[in-house]
Every structure is written in structure tokens, then in C-alpha cells.
Amino acid sequence: MKSTSSRSILHVDMDAFYASVEVLDDPSLAGKAVIVGGEGARGVVASCSYEARAFGVRSAMSSIEAKRRCPHAVFVGGRHGRYGEISEQIHAVFADVTPLIEPIALDEAFLDVTGARRRMGSGADIAAHIRATVFEVTGLQCSVGVATSKLIAKLASEAAKPSVETVRGRTPRSAHVAVSERAPNDGRVTVGAVCPSPGVVEVASGDEREFLHAHHARALWGVGPATMERLARFGVNTVGDIAQLPRETLVRAVGKAVGEHLHQLSNAIDERAVEPDRLTKSVGHEETFASDVRELSVMKVEVQRMSDAVGRRLKRAGLAGRTVTVKIKWPDFTMTTRSSTGTRAIDGGSLIADIAQGLLAEPELADRIARHGVRLLGVSVANMATDKPDAKAIVAIAETSPQLSLFDTGPTAAEDRASPPQNARVDDLVAAIRDRFGDNAVAPASLVRDGSVRVRSDQLDNPWDASGSE
DNA sequence: TCTGGGGTCCTCCCACTA
DNA sequence: TCTGTAGTGGGAGGACCC
């Protein structure tokens, strides 16, 4: 390393995480093209093994296209609960190194290991240690980027990813090799970086701009298809091209916030700290129907079910929010949202459903639903607040009211928010029952069919959705 | 490539208020 | 009392990320 005074930020990213977990749990899948995702007409690829990638399969690709490219691929539904378990094991490995961990996703995190260097060696040493330990504990491979900032560490971990050709036989412990000595890879940028051990790429202090500027502009955080199209009008192709543009030109091209952001990042200025305690800003649930839904009555039942799921997650997380939003994706893929913000934070499924169903019943929206049908429906709660009523006190009240009808529609949403909420008492009573007897022990009557709680209206068309952690 | 699900953040517009 | 303006919060939509 050229400098030991600057920060050591690691970006750890599991390799083909979901697919690798499936292979881990079912060794008969080893060496096969494995695709995790919904196999139905409207499914997409959530993750795929490197064997599938060799056929051009990529995450977010429609399942139909993935099947066309790789007809022999094995499709498996996702198991979010299982991925969460493994994720916890991985984070435990991180926690042995540093408390400064910023989880980005189940399979990805930033670590600030500046303080651990005296105890454990250089950033690259720590990266190799983490890789080896994660492999020992979980049997899964990961790639690690080491740099002085989050942006560069993230790009470095991408450069550390195995190529389709080299994935077989990789072990976490091998001799030191320079990146420039590696076989030509799949277009990943390695200029200015070194590869101190397999699966680890390090960009030393002082080499950031050289490494960064060689990347395609899309590599920058915040440059998606729309922003790239605007930048391309100015002849931008690489990050280096963005760095050449005057700040004012960038702001004019893509707006103030994004322009300032890109100006900083393209010049390798990224002082963002690793944030271990990021607060949840919203909790939501959305689903694509197997076929477009036109009946408002069906939509209302779906809203009830999704609200129930959101409420359960809010309660588990100890969260409550003031804004309820309903999201609709139409058959032409355009999106409409309707939201309502109250003065009281809520966390109960029936309260959320009450408000969401009200939004859905808005005449103009209801009419459009009947005429065009709905492809996707979502319910979310945001504007998190801390003024939620004391759940224990509410349950205590409920326990003294044995005659309370569990799913009495009660007052309207507006009344609910203006007066002590009966629905909130119901929701907390339901939560207490579920805590004791399981999630399916109690549910609104509208969600019960043939004596059991229904999962979704189209009944498991998409295993990826249905097998989630809910 | 005809596009899931769970999020975050930004921008624009509008209404309200001081 | 009326009008213009700036600040603020909510609603809606869009872009982006994994």
C-alpha cells in the first residue's frame, strides 16, 4: 500500500449469492446452469450461476429470454428466509473485524476497517482474511474491493469478480498476482488496481483517478439509462469524460443534485462514511399478477393481504409510519401512485388496509382499473415516526375486552387518526396472537379460503414471490 | 431483454401560511 | 384589507440501486 494514513474501506460482495446458496443446499445442482427466479410468463431472473451466465443469462432478465438463451437451465424459486440466515452468518464474520458495517443488501456490505489495521494488517490482508473466513463458515465465495472510499471500493470488488471462464477452481488462498498479469477478462477495468490475492482487488491511495476514469460512465452510482442518455449528448462515454465537464454543464444536463453528485464522484471525491445505523424509511409489499386484474373487489382483497404483510413487518421491526401509498402498474407499464398522510403513525395491517382501500376507491382510479386492468399492485408505509402508541398498553386493553370483534371495520381511516384507534388495538391483538401461535393463526376473513389463509390471488404462479420470507 | 420486488432519493407542482 | 412572495409540506412521478 502506498499510504496507511487514509481510510481503508472494504466492499464485500457475495458471488452469485442466491444461486450459490441453492447449489450449497442441493449439491446435485453443482456445475449446472442454475437460475433463481420466477419461471412464469412474467418472471425475471433474480440471480444465476456462472454456468448460466456463460449463456448470456443476467439478473433482471425476463425468464422467457433466459430460457431462450439457456434452455437446459434449472429454475429454482427463491428462499429469502434461507438467504437471510446465510447473510446473518456472513455479517457475524464482518462483526469480528469491525463494528463499522453498512449492509447494502443480503449479499453485500461496506466495512470501514481503518481501525482494525493495527490488529489485523493492511486492508488487503483483512480482505483476504474475510474472504477465507466467509468461505470456511458458509462454503460460499465472495469478492472484496479495497480502497480509500466507498465508490472506489465498490468498483474494485466488481473488478475482483470471477469471470465466467475462471470461476471453476477458485479458492480463497492463492499466491499474489498482479491484475495486469491476469488473462484478459470480460471488459472489467483493472488499470490502477492490484490483485493482492484471488478475489481481492485493491486501489491504493493516489491511484483512484486513474482507476476510476477508465470506467464507463454507467459505473458511477446514480448513472442509469436515463442519465446516461443525457450525458451522451455531451459526448460522455467514460467517467473521465464526466470529470472533464464543467460543473455548471453537468448541473444543466442532469439537474442540481445529480450534477453536483457526479461532479464530485467523477473526480474521485467521495467522503461518505460507512454508516452502520441506517434507518428504514419505508416498508412496502408489491406483487405482479399472473394476469391483469380488473375487479375492484379482487383488488381490495389483495390490498388487505399486502397491508397485512406490511403491518407484520412493521411490527416486527418496531416501526410505524404516517404515509400510506398505493402503487399501481398498468398493462402499458406506466405507474400511478396515490398516498395519504395522517397525523398519527400506524403499523397495523387493518389500519393500513383501510386507508389503502380508500385510496383505491377514488372514482377516477376505480374507473381506470375497471377499464384497463392492473398488472402490479403495491402497498407501502413511509414517513416513519416514533409517536406510535405503546403496543403493550394496547394489547393490555384488548385483553380486557374479550368481546372485541377482531376484524370489525370500525371507524373510517380519518376517524381512526383523529381518535383512539380501535383498529390499532385489533392489529396489536393480532400481532400478539401471531407471536404466540404463528403467522397463519389468525387472518381477516377475506383472506381465508377453504379453511386456510390464502397466499395470493393467483396462487403461487410465481414461486419466487410466494416463497419469500413473509 | 418486453421488463420482479424492495427500497432510496430527487424533482416538480400545488396548496397553505406567514 | 389586498397582493406578492418565500418557505414548507404533501402528492405524484421518475430514476436508480441491488
Side-chain angles (χ1 to χ4, degrees):
Chain A
M1 272 177 62
K2 290 185 182 177
S3 166
T4 53
S5 59
S6 48
R7 297 188 298 170
S8 273
I9 308 293
L10 305 190
H11 180 257
V12 184
D13 198 356
M14 301 303 293
D15 299 341
F17 182 54
Y18 297 168
S20 300
V21 172
E22 296 305 327
V23 173
L24 186 74
D25 289 351
D26 181 1
S28 73
L29 295 174
K32 292 182 182 169
V34 177
I35 294 176
V36 179
E39 200 175 353
R42 291 181 168 180
V44 294
V45 176
S47 172
C48 59
S49 67
Y50 284 87
E51 287 79 1
R53 291 177 196 206
F55 287 84
V57 178
R58 298 282 179 272
S59 60
M61 178 181 278
S62 74
S63 296
I64 289 175
E65 176 62 18
K67 262 185 200 167
R68 194 183 64 74
R69 293 187 182 205
C70 189
H72 61 283
V74 180
F75 271 81
V76 291
R79 296 176 298 148
H80 250 98
R82 175 64 177 145
Y83 307 147
E85 282 172 23
I86 303 267
S87 183
E88 280 179 21
Q89 295 173 14
I90 295 162
H91 280 80
V93 173
F94 299 162
D96 279 342
V97 175
T98 174
L100 298 176
I101 304 162
E102 181 180 331
I104 302 297
L106 284 178
D107 63 336
E108 192 181 331
F110 284 109
L111 280 68
D112 186 334
V113 299
T114 310
R117 288 186 305 207
R118 183 177 294 181
R119 183 166 49 92
M120 303 184 68
S122 70
D125 293 338
I126 297 170
H129 165 79
I130 285 176
R131 245 191 121 242
T133 312
V134 165
F135 184 71
E136 271 170 25
V137 171
T138 66
L140 299 174
Q141 303 274 16
C142 62
S143 300
V144 188
V146 187
T148 56
S149 68
K150 287 162 83 169
L151 169 67
I152 306 292
K154 164 91 177 144
L155 295 176
S157 77
E158 274 165 30
K161 284 280 172 202
S163 65
V164 171
E165 293 77 26
T166 61
V167 65
R168 286 198 188 85
R170 247 173 42 128
T171 64
R173 300 184 197 86
S174 301
H176 179 285
V177 287
V179 169
S180 57
E181 292 168 6
R182 297 196 314 187
N185 60 22
D186 40 15
R188 287 167 301 159
V189 174
T190 53
V191 57
V194 294
C195 180
S197 60
V200 177
V201 163
E202 179 179 24
V203 178
S205 177
D207 292 339
E208 293 95 340
R209 287 172 71 93
E210 186 188 11
F211 174 71
L212 180 62
H213 284 184
H215 279 80
H216 191 271
R218 280 293 307 267
L220 278 191
W221 220 317
V223 180
T227 305
M228 188 62 224
E229 200 185 318
R230 290 183 193 174
L231 291 173
R233 289 182 209 144
F234 292 84
V236 166
N237 188 41
T238 66
V239 177
D241 295 335
I242 298 178
Q244 296 280 321
L245 288 179
R247 181 197 302 250
E248 306 73 46
T249 307
L250 263 178
V251 169
R252 234 183 310 125
V254 297
K256 185 167 165 48
V258 177
E260 299 278 1
H261 174 71
L262 294 185
H263 180 73
Q264 296 274 98
L265 290 187
S266 65
N267 285 287
I269 302 167
D270 179 18
E271 302 293 333
R272 293 171 301 171
V274 171
E275 294 175 46
D277 303 311
R278 292 181 66 178
L279 300 172
T280 300
K281 305 244 169 98
S282 68
V283 173
H285 189 93
E286 61 188 56
E287 283 172 20
T288 298
F289 299 123
S291 57
D292 300 339
V293 173
R294 279 192 157 79
E295 299 76 23
L296 196 59
S297 56
V298 174
M299 294 277 284
K300 286 192 167 181
V301 172
E302 293 303 311
V303 158
Q304 171 77 64
R305 188 174 56 76
M306 291 183 197
S307 300
D308 205 43
V310 170
R312 242 181 285 171
R313 282 170 51 203
L314 284 169
K315 282 185 187 298
R316 277 189 197 140
L319 297 169
R322 288 171 47 224
T323 303
V324 175
T325 302
V326 171
K327 170 172 156 183
I328 290 173
K329 190 187 272 182
W330 305 100
D332 65 358
F333 287 88
T334 55
M335 213 89 82
T336 296
T337 58
R338 289 290 181 272
S339 62
S340 166
T341 301
T343 53
R344 191 196 306 271
I346 59 171
D347 64 353
S350 55
L351 271 177
I352 298 166
D354 205 16
I355 296 162
Q357 287 172 344
L359 289 167
L360 215 54
E362 187 186 290
E364 195 186 322
L365 201 59
D367 179 57
R368 197 171 166 192
I369 291 168
R371 277 189 294 120
H372 300 289
V374 168
R375 183 184 178 92
L376 169 148
L377 177 66
V379 176
S380 65
V381 172
N383 243 324
M384 298 307 180
T386 54
D387 65 340
K388 58 180 285 192
D390 184 329
K392 281 182 185 161
I394 289 168
V395 171
I397 294 167
E399 281 169 349
T400 60
S401 311
Q403 300 303 313
L404 185 63
S405 168
L406 275 186
F407 295 102
D408 186 355
T409 52
T412 65
E415 288 163 350
D416 251 333
R417 286 178 163 173
S419 59
Q422 176 172 316
N423 278 7
R425 300 192 316 182
V426 173
D427 285 323
D428 282 292
L429 184 57
V430 168
I433 294 170
R434 281 178 174 151
D435 276 349
R436 191 176 299 179
F437 301 108
D439 283 346
N440 289 338
V442 58
S446 59
L447 301 185
V448 176
R449 192 160 60 186
D450 301 331
S452 59
V453 179
R454 68 203 256 163
V455 180
R456 53 182 292 174
S457 62
D458 44 11
Q459 291 298 302
L460 309 188
D461 174 74
N462 182 347
W464 168 244
D465 298 329
S467 56
S469 55
E470 274 306 326

